[in-house]
Amino acid sequence: MYDVVIIGCGIVGAATAFELSKYRLKVGIVERENDVACGTTKANSAIIHAGYDPVPGTLMARLNVRGAALARELCAALDVPYLPCGSLVLGFSPEDQAHLEELYRRGVANGVPDLALLTGDEARALEPNLSPTVTAALLAPTAAICSPWEYGLALAETAVRNGAELQLETAVTGLTPTEEGWRVETNRGVLEARYVVNAAGLEAQTIHEMAASPSFAIHPSRGQYFLLDKSEGGRVGRVIFQCPNEKGKGVLVSPTVHGNLIVGPDAEPVEGDDTSTTSAGLAFVRETALRSVPSVDFRTSIRNFAGVRASTGAKDFIIELSAPHFLDLAGICSPGLSAAPAIGEYAVELLGQAGLALERKEDFQTSRKRVRFREMSPEEKAKLVAEHPAYGRVICRCETVTEGEILDALAGPIPPRSVDGVKRRAGAGLGRCQGGFCGPRVVELLAREQHRSPGDIPQERAGSWLLVRETKGGAR
């Protein structure tokens, strides 16, 4: 019997597991994919928003500001790349300037520190590559960027190190109330739980309706992006927004913690988890971004991708006990990444109010450290290679990722099962060639260390095979 079963292990599920693992509880996490942080968490803008956009008094406003403060602490403790670069929201007209003034008022009401309204010239003094047509801007110095998939992975790994049990490739097929809580039916068997937390992202409506009457609908919204080469990484030093609208926070231009430039997203309704990209969507992103920063060189694009957000059309997150011992964490669209650790805190608070016994652990592990070979000094590199020769074998030339770093990932609390799983943990494949050189070596290492056939190693999700082989039933 689990005290709590969390359904879904994106950033919200991982943050909730992290918080629950601070207590003497038996916590289970079920995730239908073959890795954590495989949905919206791995395909978004990577922004820790300052918190000026949500309407004051909403959960979204409170949890955004609290979550952004926690993110700085957590990323430092868990060795997650994080850069407090700040952001600018641009205005191009008197109407935009009025909107910026409203965002400023909201931010002050929400407790966002150090906000400032700037003229166009003042904004260009900070960011010389901004368009000459910018007439005003809102500066939010507390905005930041991070590595979102590493953030989710770090929270989930820490939860596992502290006793939480993660089951991957485990899809929930039914929920039945019991005298003690819930019977959680999955494709891999049945779990018994006193409490269930629904953090299923795009599938949150489906999970909710297994336990309670319909009360909300998920409307998937796709956002498409350009990832540009590191040669464009210094084009801006802050996150550059345009005024948000009814479709979201709009197209941004931003540095990344890995040194690239990211541009996007658009917002388009889709069916399900449709992460395909379209020429029309990407053209819209490109044209809109050039209004903010006309000098962006899109010829340096190394990858296009899309993420799908779990929008409900509501102006707030859905965080509530919808049935006895059943907690919904649903409709967590932007600023979900920013709010995630605060959502985890609030989820534990609500579960405690519902009767979950919360006894703090004295031995909770709060730190995590990764070897990043390319960031070490020559002396540190030489010492490390002398002690562990695998760090002297470079697998990914673009990002200077070594075999030792990949072996570290494979020996971690949540080992990767795919090539992209290695990429998210160690960085192999993130660079200019996007895995063209290192991909075969990563497959080789996965097969060798996990005693699997190379033909059984997927690129990403289960079934995304890289190699074809002859079987008795035909080719696969």
Side-chain angles (χ1 to χ4, degrees):
M1 169 72 76
Y2 288 95
D3 293 300
V4 184
V5 166
I6 301 167
I7 302 172
C9 200
I11 188 68
V12 172
T16 304
F18 174 84
E19 287 297 325
L20 285 168
S21 70
K22 295 178 179 178
Y23 300 89
R24 298 194 180 283
L25 299 168
K26 185 175 182 182
V27 177
I29 315 160
V30 292
E31 168 57 54
R32 68 174 182 168
E33 300 291 354
N34 63 1
D35 203 356
V36 303
C38 262
T40 307
T41 304
K42 75 171 183 185
N44 58 73
S45 305
I47 311 302
I48 304 297
H49 293 281
Y52 51 76
D53 189 43
V55 174
T58 60
L59 277 175
M60 192 177 285
R62 174 164 65 88
L63 298 177
N64 183 166
V65 176
R66 171 65 177 160
L70 288 172
R72 182 189 291 260
E73 300 172 10
L74 286 169
C75 288
L78 303 180
D79 198 11
V80 175
Y82 174 96
L83 180 63
C85 59
S87 68
L88 286 168
V89 186
L90 306 182
F92 300 87
S93 67
E95 292 77 16
D96 283 350
Q97 185 157 350
H99 197 156
L100 296 178
E101 291 168 357
E102 171 60 21
L103 293 178
Y104 177 85
R105 287 190 290 269
R106 286 188 198 176
V108 171
N110 292 342
V112 180
D114 303 324
L115 290 173
L117 288 165
L118 308 179
T119 66
D121 287 339
E122 289 171 333
R124 277 183 290 274
L126 296 175
E127 294 288 348
N129 287 319
L130 294 182
S131 169
T133 61
V134 173
T135 59
L138 175 65
L139 172 66
T142 56
I145 56 177
C146 71
S147 176
W149 54 85
E150 290 184 76
Y151 192 16
L153 175 67
L155 292 168
E157 282 188 343
T158 306
V160 169
R161 286 170 52 215
N162 284 286
E165 299 176 13
L166 172 67
Q167 297 185 32
L168 296 172
E169 298 183 78
T170 303
V172 173
T173 57
L175 292 169
T176 305
T178 66
E179 288 187 6
E180 293 188 89
W182 291 92
R183 175 185 171 92
V184 183
E185 299 161 16
T186 80
N187 61 324
R188 293 178 177 271
V190 174
L191 307 176
E192 299 288 339
R194 292 185 173 88
Y195 293 80
V196 168
V197 176
N198 174 16
L202 291 171
E203 297 299 320
Q205 177 185 348
T206 301
I207 298 300
H208 168 88
E209 292 175 4
M210 292 178 182
S213 299
S215 62
F216 64 86
I218 297 292
H219 305 291
S221 175
R222 178 176 61 194
Q224 301 179 61
Y225 294 86
F226 287 87
L227 181 67
L228 306 185
D229 187 68
K230 291 181 179 180
S231 60
E232 281 292 292
R235 184 67 63 184
V236 294
R238 294 167 180 79
V239 183
I240 307 300
F241 294 102
Q242 296 176 15
C243 282
N245 55 42
E246 68 282 356
K247 291 186 176 181
K249 294 180 173 63
V251 174
L252 60 85
V253 179
S254 173
T256 75
V257 292
H258 301 104
N260 303 84
L261 193 75
I262 190 171
V263 181
D266 62 343
E268 180 184 5
V270 291
E271 293 293 327
D273 188 15
D274 181 359
T275 57
S276 58
T277 58
T278 66
S279 58
L282 292 171
F284 170 81
V285 168
R286 182 173 57 249
E287 292 162 12
T288 306
L290 290 173
R291 188 181 182 211
S292 299
V293 186
S295 57
V296 173
D297 184 1
F298 285 93
R299 294 173 298 177
T300 67
S301 178
I302 61 173
R303 192 176 188 89
N304 297 118
F305 68 94
V308 181
R309 293 154 282 190
S311 175
T312 62
K315 299 297 184 182
D316 207 354
F317 299 143
I318 298 170
I319 301 178
E320 60 188 14
L321 286 153
S322 304
H325 291 207
F326 179 88
L327 178 63
D328 274 321
L329 307 178
I332 312 296
C333 52
S334 181
L337 178 68
S338 313
I343 293 173
E345 281 187 338
Y346 186 46
V348 172
E349 178 185 334
L350 292 176
L351 291 170
Q353 292 173 3
L356 178 65
L358 297 174
E359 180 187 352
R360 281 268 187 174
K361 292 177 180 175
E362 296 178 358
D363 56 350
F364 179 72
Q365 300 180 53
T366 58
S367 63
R368 172 182 177 269
K369 191 67 180 174
R370 269 192 54 198
V371 171
R372 293 183 175 85
F373 189 79
R374 65 186 175 278
E375 297 177 6
M376 301 172 76
S377 69
E379 294 77 17
E380 290 171 329
K381 290 177 179 177
K383 181 182 178 184
L384 183 62
V385 171
E387 295 172 353
H388 304 285
Y391 290 106
R393 293 189 283 274
V394 174
I395 302 300
C396 173
R397 294 178 179 178
C398 296
E399 298 294 299
T400 318
V401 177
T402 66
E403 181 176 326
E405 292 164 274
I406 295 173
L407 295 179
D408 287 345
L410 292 170
I414 307 174
R417 301 183 180 185
S418 66
V419 172
D420 280 0
V422 171
K423 176 171 70 173
R424 287 190 292 273
R425 288 161 176 78
L430 280 177
R432 180 175 292 177
C433 84
Q434 290 289 290
F437 173 80
C438 64
R441 287 288 289 123
V442 171
V443 170
E444 187 179 312
L445 288 170
L446 275 164
R448 186 187 80 193
E449 296 300 314
Q450 296 182 343
H451 308 291
R452 299 160 67 188
S453 164
D456 292 332
I457 306 295
Q459 177 69 41
E460 174 58 293
R461 290 172 165 168
S464 57
W465 310 117
L466 289 164
L467 303 174
V468 176
R469 66 184 178 193
E470 291 293 331
T471 66
K472 290 182 179 180
R476 189 210 72 186

